[in-house]
Amino acid sequence: MALFCLHCLDNETDGAARRAEARPAHLHWAGGLGPVVRMAGPLLDAEGRMVGSVFLIEAESLAAAKALNAEDPYSKAGVFGRVTLNETRWAIGEGKPA
């Protein structure tokens, strides 16, 4: 399995409101993904407000990672204005796969 970094920034028009509305469904969905998710959490601005999301996920391919993102309730609710998805390799840090 490959490792992918999903970096999502909320849309600047109504992303915060959409995020707040979809948050319970998003947390339920993300919590059910199990070990596919190596790390996940909100991106915060200088005042501590949520302005995006980041995921480090394992997937068979870039297409599979994109499909997983498409199932996120945040994606379905139009929370994100910009999404970047890149394959990555874990070089250093606690939790690095053997």
Side-chain angles (χ1 to χ4, degrees):
M1 288 254 249
L3 194 60
F4 294 90
C5 180
L6 183 60
H7 184 268
C8 309
L9 296 176
D10 293 359
N11 82 63
E12 294 181 13
T13 305
D14 61 356
R18 289 176 185 252
R19 173 179 285 275
E21 185 175 326
R23 187 166 170 75
H26 166 78
L27 292 174
H28 178 76
W29 170 82
L33 293 175
V36 165
V37 178
R38 300 302 304 268
M39 177 274 171
L43 296 170
L44 307 174
D45 68 9
E47 287 77 39
R49 292 181 299 244
M50 289 183 264
V51 295
S53 298
V54 65
F55 279 85
L56 190 59
I57 59 170
E58 289 183 321
E60 291 292 329
S61 65
L62 179 60
K66 286 180 180 181
L68 184 71
N69 178 54
E71 292 301 314
D72 185 341
Y74 280 170
S75 294
K76 291 179 177 182
V79 171
F80 303 132
R82 189 169 125 206
V83 174
T84 305
L85 179 57
N86 297 96
E87 185 172 355
T88 187
R89 293 192 182 89
W90 200 315
I92 59 173
E94 186 175 334
K96 178 183 174 187

